[in-house]
Every structure is written in C-alpha cells, then in structure tokens.
C-alpha cells in the first residue's frame, strides 16, 4: 500500500553522506509507490535539498537554526519531531551512523514507537515492510516488522542501493520553523582522527592490518595501497591492542562493522571477534604468512606470503592499472 | 553518587550460532555479561571509589541473568536488581526493555546511569537513549572518557573514529564504548563477598506494569543463518605472479576494481 516516508539527509562537512541516498532508496521500496520526503536539519543546509530530490525524494523539508549547526540529540530530535508532527508520515528512515544511532532511539522513545536498527535489506511483503538485519554480529540474520505505528528503521551504510542520480528531477524544498530550546549537551571540541583518510563505515574498499604488520610503521605499505585504491585503512583488535594504530580504526565485534565491496586483510589471523566486523564484505582477500590462518576460511582469494612483500607489489600492480586506464 | 548500571546477559562472543525450530539455539551455550556492559560496570565502580556512593546493577531478563549480576557484584558493584519478565512477556523488544527499566528507575534518586552502547546479540543499541528519553534526562552515547566535577560532567565521545568533547550535567545517562577502561576480573574475595550482597528480584507487578504497557512494537518473523561461503581460492606460484593473478581476478571475476 502506498504510504508516506520521511528520510533524514545526513550532512557532514557541508555535503550529504551517501547513506542519505541509500535511505531514499530504502524509503522508495517501503513507500511502495507513495511519497518520499527528505528532511534536512542544520544551520545552513537548504541548498542540499535539490540533491535529495535528484536521488529520488519527491520534496524536502528543511529545519534551519543556528543551534543546529552541530548535531546534538536534543536539538536534532526537536527538529525531527517538528517535521514528523507537521508531515504525519507512515514511516521514517535514517542512516545507522553515529548520528542515526544516537538520534533514532530517542525519537522512537519519545513517540513510543518501534524501531528496527541496522537494517541491511528490506522488501514489502503481505502488506508489511519486512526489514532484514544482522544479529549476533552477523552470525545470523532476522526479518522484522513493525507491528503498529510509525515504520521506523535505521539502515547500515553500503548495503542498500541508492537510485541513480537524475539531475532533471525537481521538487519543492520548503522550510519549516521549529522551536529549538534547551540543549542539555554542549559540544566543546571535536578532534578529527578519522578524517585523514576515507571513512571506514562508507568505504567501498578497505585495507586492514593485524598483528602481522608488527609496528606502527608497518601500516605504511597498507596506507600506500589504500591511497592508490581510494580505500580506507582499518585494523584488527590485535593491531590496536599492540598500539600499532588508533582504536578508531578497529574493525570487529568491538569496533566497527563494515561491509565494503572489497576487504583486503593483511597479516590478520581471522579471530571470530574480527570476522564479526567484516565477514559480510562482498569480496575478501587474505594475505597472511600462515597458510592455516582462519582468515583464509572466509576469504574469496588468498595469498600465502609476507605482507611486506605482497602489499607493495599489489600497490605497483594497481598503479599500473591506473596509468593504463 | 547514586550510579545505576544497565546490564544484559548475552551469548559468549566465541559461541557458534545454530538454529533450532527457527530460533537461536541456546542449548549448552556459554553466557557472559555483554562486553560493553562490562565497561559500564567498571566505570561505575571507579567513579564510586573516587567519589563515594553506591553502584546498583540492573538487568531485565530471566532468572538466568542472576549469574551475570553476581559477577558484576563480584567485580565490586554494591547491589543488583533482576527484573524478571520471563513469565509476563513472551516477545519483548527494545521498547519493552526500556519501558521496564524506566519504570524501575523513575522514582529512584539517580545521578548517573551507565549502559553499554550496544549488546552484541541483538545489536540495536537502542535501550540506553530510550531510557534517558523516558526519564527525561540527557544522554551521551559511545563514550571513551568521563569526568565528573560536582554536577558538571565532561564526556569524550567516539564519533566514527573522531572524538567529541561534550559538556553536560547530572543526572545523566551514558553508554560505554570500547576504550573507556579496562574491566577488572572478579577477585576471589570479591566472589565470596558477592554471594552476600543484596540481589533483589522484581516482576512487572512490582513495577505496577501490565503486559500491555510493555508490549513489543516490533516482531521478528524469521531468523536465518547466512549462506555458508564457498571455499576461497588460495593462489599459488611465484609471489609476483600471484599478485598479478589476484588483480586480474578482482577485475574480471569479482568485478570490484
């Protein structure tokens, strides 16, 4: 049945994150021929509305306020609740990002609504939107529906296809005024650690290092390969515990869960704790000296060898490809 | 300082997951304190030791969770509360759990609530912020550092690898991220003491809640295991030839480059 879905466009450093377009793609499926309304929240975000429309939103509602320049759960929930009140949608889809994970449960709590988090696919079946999501760190999946009220979900980045961008699409971008008051948390400082490279959660390619990199310097060849491929650099818990890199790079059960198109594991043994964070990647390459390493059991392609020999060769190969392309 | 810790009993991270009758098979599985909740317990104990007060660990679940609550008491928590909903709630969700917790907490003198940022079984990460919303107190998720001076609180929060410093006030709910601390193991004297520490067991009735009040808003209609992956291709031959072959395979077979 056709219905109306809201999608929150997530803005970072003045641009929309990809997951916003994926959320529109998800909402298109869930709305089943109905309307998809983009929502933008910030202090100066109206100009981004057109891009949401080009990716499939029918129209966009913008809430702007100086107090919304940075994300706070109080400010953003007040803005989003104002849009929900004004639009009275059947459903709402947000990215399962730091922002989405922080904001969605508060809004669901306020509305006493159900919320299905970390969705990796969805379909409409038997009059319900059926959401599929990983449980037990990806060792199993569940299909879930909302049994009443708002159909509310957060979607995992990199899993749901966005629509093709269509620059000929147009639609209304209108402003809604909301009274933003009482911000109980104040951001004093932001230290950028992850911004040096590509964002892990949205990366299409990830080069990841484990204990086998042996030192902080050992990550250098991985970084070079990442640069050639436009990839993000990740790490196993072992590498983080050994202080070879920052915990912000950690992929695993504790740490980040990633699903890139290509995951290259270098010197990673493949402990269950690590697999939980990356085993749903589309293609996995393992490079490890130990032919018995568990990582080879989940890898699509494996090279048994020293990463310090293999990785620079890979970098050279990909460089050649780039030159020829 | 009155500190409450929200704790969930979960599958051991190393357990292999199998299904029986369409449900996750719990037969013979090892259960642990949700790893993120361990950080919460540790943080609560450290704050109490530095500033005085009391740590109460609260879990919503069935009687089996008593074991994990005793472990938290052995680590150093003062009191435990088990809200046993097994007989009243057949299928709960995050709405259910947060409603039960908020109902328990609403008339307590709460300064600080610490929870894990996510449970490794269900993986939704909803309960902390939902409880804060229901109690109408501020919250900060995925924290890696917490400093309390009077009622002013400075928190460091992990935001996809970046770190934010946030100022807020008590009462407050925070959810723990890895890196917050290094949880201690229960000591032998701790384990002995834990046996005598108070562990209160409550049911919905004790909280003046009816089943309808906490009825789930979502429903699981199917659980399935991911398809088993076919064995991958381990390349052979000269290393540089292997690298060349790998690049070819990634381009022509896997089509990811």
């Amino acid at each position: 049945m056709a219905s109306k879905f809201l999608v929150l466009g997530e803005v970072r450093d003045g641009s929309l994150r990809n997951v916003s377009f994926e959320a529109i793609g998800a909402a298109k499926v869930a709305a089943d021929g109905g309307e998809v309304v983009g929502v933008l929240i910030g202090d100066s975000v109206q100009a981004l509305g057109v891009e949401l429309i080009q990716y499939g939103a029918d129209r966009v509602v913008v809430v702007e306020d100086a107090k919304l320049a940075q994300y706070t759960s109080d400010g953003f929930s007040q803005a989003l609740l104002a849009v929900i009140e004004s639009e009275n949608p059947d459903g709402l889809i947000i990215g399962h990002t730091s922002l989405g994970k922080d904001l969605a449960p508060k809004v669901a709590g306020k509305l006493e609504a159900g919320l299905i988090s970390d969705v990796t696919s969805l379909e409409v079946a038997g009059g319900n939107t059926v959401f599929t999501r990983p449980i037990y760190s990806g060792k199993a999946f569940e299909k879930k529906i909302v049994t009443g009220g708002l159909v509310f979900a957060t979607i995992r980045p990199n899993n749901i296809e966005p629509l093709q961008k269509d620059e000929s699409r147009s639609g209304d971008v209108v402003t809604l005024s909301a009274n933003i008051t009482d911000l109980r948390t104040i951001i004093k400082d932001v230290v950028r650690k992850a911004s040096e490279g590509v964002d892990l959660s949205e990366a299409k390619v990830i080069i990841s290092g484990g204990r086998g990199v042996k030192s902080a310097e050992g990550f250098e060849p991985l970084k070079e390969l990442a640069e050639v491929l436009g990839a993000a650099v990740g790490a196993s818990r072992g590498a983080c515990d050994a202080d070879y890199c920052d915990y912000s790079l950690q992929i695993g059960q504790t740490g980040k869960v990633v699903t890139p198109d290509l995951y290259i594991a270098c010197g990673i043994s493949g402990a269950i704790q690590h697999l939980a964070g990356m085993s749903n990647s589309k293609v996995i390459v393992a490079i490890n000296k130990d032919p018995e390493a568990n990582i080879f059991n989940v890898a699509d392609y494996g090279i048994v060898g020293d990463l310090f020999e293999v990785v620079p060769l890979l970098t050279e190969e990909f460089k050649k490809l780039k030159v020829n392309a | 300082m009155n500190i409450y810790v929200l704790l969930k009993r979960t599958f051991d991270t190393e357990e292999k997951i199998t299904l029986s009758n369409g449900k996750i098979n719990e037969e013979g599985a090892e259960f642990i304190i949700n790893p993120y909740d361990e950080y919460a317990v540790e943080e609560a104990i450290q704050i109490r030791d530095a500033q005085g007060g009391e740590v109460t660990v609260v879990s919503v679940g069935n009687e089996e969770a008593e074991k994990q609550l005793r472990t938290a008491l052995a680590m150093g928590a003062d009191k435990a509360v088990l809200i046993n909903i097994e007989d009243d709630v057949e299928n709960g969700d995050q709405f259910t759990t947060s409603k039960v917790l908020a109902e328990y907490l609403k008339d307590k003198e709460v300064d600080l609530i610490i929870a894990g940022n996510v449970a490794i079984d269900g993986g939704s990460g909803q309960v902390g912020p939902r409880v804060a919303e229901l109690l109408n107190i501020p919250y900060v998720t995925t924290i890696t550092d917490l400093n309390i001076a009077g009622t002013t609180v400075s928190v460091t929060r992990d935001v996809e690898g970046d770190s934010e410093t946030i100022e807020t006030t008590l009462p407050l709910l925070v959810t723990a991220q890895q890196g917050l601390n290094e949880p201690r193991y229960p000591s032998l004297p701790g384990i002995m003491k834990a046996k005598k520490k108070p562990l209160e067991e409550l049911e919905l009735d004790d909280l003046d809640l009816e089943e309808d009040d906490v009825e789930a808003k979502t429903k699981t209609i199917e659980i399935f295991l991911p398809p088993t992956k076919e064995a991958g291709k381990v390349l052979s031959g000269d290393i540089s030839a292997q690298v060349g072959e790998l690049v070819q395979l990634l381009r022509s077979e896997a089509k990811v480059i």
Side-chain angles (χ1 to χ4, degrees), chain A residues 155-178:
Chain A
I155 61 157
R156 181 183 287 195
N158 254 350
N159 281 266
I160 294 165
E161 281 288 312
L163 274 63
Q164 282 284 343
K165 187 174 184 175
D166 177 355
E167 295 190 356
S168 68
R169 278 178 62 90
S170 61
D172 289 339
V173 179
V174 298
T175 307
L176 179 79
S177 71

Side-chain angles (χ1 to χ4, degrees), chain A residues 98 102 106 188-189 191 301, chain B residues 133 139 141 160 163 165 253:
Chain A
S98 256
D102 195 71
K106 177 177 171 77
K188 288 289 180 187
D189 188 27
V191 179
Y301 305 108
Chain B
E133 176 61 28
Y139 65 89
T141 54
E160 292 171 13
S163 82
T165 308
E253 189 176 272

Side-chain angles (χ1 to χ4, degrees), chain B residues 173-195:
Chain B
L173 183 146
V174 291
T175 71
Q177 174 66 309
Q178 187 197 17
L180 179 61
N181 53 45
E182 204 51 61
R184 69 193 69 189
Y185 290 101
S187 65
L188 197 55
I191 293 167
M192 299 311 288
K193 269 195 233 161
K195 290 179 180 159

Side-chain angles (χ1 to χ4, degrees), chain A residues 6 8 39-42 63 67-68 70-86 92 94 99-100 102-111 152 176 178-185, chain B residues 129 132-133 136-139:
Chain A
L6 298 186
L8 180 67
V39 179
L40 286 171
I41 298 172
V63 182
K67 292 196 204 76
L68 300 171
Q70 280 174 306
Y71 168 78
T72 60
S73 56
D74 282 333
F76 271 52
S77 64
Q78 289 168 32
L80 187 56
L81 286 163
V83 181
I84 292 170
E85 196 183 337
S86 134
L92 169 59
I94 300 180
L99 185 154
D102 195 71
L103 175 65
K106 177 177 171 77
V107 172
K110 181 83 184 174
L111 297 170
F152 190 2
L176 179 79
N179 194 16
I180 310 300
T181 57
D182 188 28
L183 303 187
R184 296 172 297 184
T185 56
Chain B
E133 176 61 28
N136 195 23
I137 60 172
Y139 65 89

Side-chain angles (χ1 to χ4, degrees), chain A residues 207-221:
Chain A
I207 317 295
S208 199
R211 281 195 181 273
V213 300
K214 292 186 185 138
S215 66
E217 296 73 46
F219 265 97
E220 286 308 319

Side-chain angles (χ1 to χ4, degrees), chain B:
Chain B
M1 179 92 51
N2 247 334
I3 308 169
Y4 286 83
V5 176
L6 312 183
L7 180 147
K8 186 176 187 184
R9 164 185 183 262
T10 60
F11 255 66
D12 191 329
T13 47
E14 302 289 318
E15 286 290 337
K16 190 171 161 55
I17 302 293
T18 56
L19 298 184
S20 80
N21 296 325
K23 292 197 161 150
I24 300 288
N25 187 5
E26 299 192 349
E27 201 78 17
E30 283 292 322
F31 284 83
I32 54 171
I33 297 176
N34 175 42
Y36 291 99
D37 302 350
E38 271 190 337
Y39 298 120
V41 174
E42 176 65 35
E43 194 68 13
I45 294 168
Q46 287 186 15
I47 294 169
R48 179 207 57 199
D49 289 349
Q51 311 209 359
E54 189 175 73
V55 175
T56 308
V57 188
V58 189
S59 190
V60 175
N62 59 28
E63 61 183 16
E64 310 277 337
E66 183 177 335
K67 191 177 164 206
Q68 283 69 37
L69 287 171
R70 288 279 174 212
T71 304
L73 292 172
M75 287 170 75
D78 301 293
K79 298 195 306 191
V81 178
L82 170 59
I83 307 174
N84 188 343
I85 61 168
E86 194 178 23
D87 294 339
D88 297 317
V89 180
E90 200 181 339
N91 293 302
D93 68 357
Q94 298 80 14
F95 168 80
T96 309
T97 307
S98 54
K99 183 92 179 175
V100 170
L101 286 168
E103 208 58 30
Y104 167 77
L105 290 163
K106 71 174 188 193
D107 54 6
K108 305 287 180 291
E109 283 198 19
V110 175
D111 297 304
L112 181 65
I113 302 171
I114 314 181
N117 86 76
V118 69
I120 58 164
D121 50 4
S124 82
Q126 292 182 24
V127 170
R130 275 182 181 266
V131 168
E133 176 61 28
L134 292 173
L135 296 173
N136 195 23
I137 60 172
Y139 65 89
V140 182
T141 54
T142 58
I143 71 158
T144 55
D145 194 32
L146 177 62
N147 288 293
I148 302 171
T151 57
T152 307
V153 186
S154 172
V155 191
T156 307
R157 166 167 195 251
D158 167 49
V159 184
E160 292 171 13
D162 292 339
S163 82
E164 271 179 12
T165 308
I166 290 174
E167 225 174 75
T168 183
T169 52
L170 298 178
L172 173 72
L173 183 146
V174 291
T175 71
Q177 174 66 309
Q178 187 197 17
L180 179 61
N181 53 45
E182 204 51 61
R184 69 193 69 189
Y185 290 101
S187 65
L188 197 55
I191 293 167
M192 299 311 288
K193 269 195 233 161
K195 290 179 180 159
K196 295 195 191 102
K197 287 180 178 173
L199 191 153
E200 186 184 7
E201 191 171 330
L202 302 172
E203 293 190 17
L204 285 191
D205 255 3
D206 303 307
L207 300 172
D208 284 329
L209 282 172
E210 304 286 332
E211 287 166 54
D212 288 354
D213 298 330
V214 298
E215 194 186 344
K217 307 281 184 184
T218 57
K219 188 172 150 194
T220 298
I221 55 174
E222 190 188 339
I223 293 177
F224 61 97
L225 299 178
T228 43
K229 222 169 166 166
E230 277 176 48
K233 219 180 262 181
V234 175
L235 308 181
S236 58
D238 173 59
I239 286 288
S240 65
Q242 286 190 41
V243 167
E245 188 184 350
L246 174 63
V247 172
Q248 279 312 313
L249 286 166
L250 290 177
R251 289 190 76 193
S252 52
E253 189 176 272
K255 296 193 169 65
V256 286
I257 294 292

Side-chain angles (χ1 to χ4, degrees), chain A residues 35-184:
Chain A
E35 192 182 27
V36 174
V37 181
V39 179
L40 286 171
I41 298 172
D43 67 338
S44 173
V45 290
Q46 181 154 20
L48 298 169
V50 60
E51 206 178 352
L52 289 180
I53 288 168
Q54 288 170 346
Y55 273 98
D58 296 297
R59 58 192 173 83
V60 174
V61 179
V62 181
V63 182
E64 288 188 336
D65 192 302
K67 292 196 204 76
L68 300 171
Q70 280 174 306
Y71 168 78
T72 60
S73 56
D74 282 333
F76 271 52
S77 64
Q78 289 168 32
L80 187 56
L81 286 163
V83 181
I84 292 170
E85 196 183 337
S86 134
E87 290 287 334
N88 193 24
D90 301 295
L92 169 59
I93 302 203
I94 300 180
H96 195 67
T97 57
S98 256
L99 185 154
K101 287 183 227 178
D102 195 71
L103 175 65
K106 177 177 171 77
V107 172
K110 181 83 184 174
L111 297 170
E112 301 220 322
L115 168 62
I116 301 179
S117 307
D118 200 15
V119 167
T120 52
S121 72
L122 76 164
E123 62 192 326
V124 174
N128 286 309
T129 309
V130 180
F131 296 95
T132 301
R133 61 186 299 274
I135 51 176
Y136 297 86
S137 310
K139 287 184 240 174
F141 287 81
E142 65 176 348
K143 290 191 173 186
K144 253 186 139 168
I145 57 170
V146 174
T147 47
L150 190 73
V151 178
F152 190 2
T154 58
I155 61 157
R156 181 183 287 195
N158 254 350
N159 281 266
I160 294 165
E161 281 288 312
L163 274 63
Q164 282 284 343
K165 187 174 184 175
D166 177 355
E167 295 190 356
S168 68
R169 278 178 62 90
S170 61
D172 289 339
V173 179
V174 298
T175 307
L176 179 79
S177 71
N179 194 16
I180 310 300
T181 57
D182 188 28
L183 303 187
R184 296 172 297 184

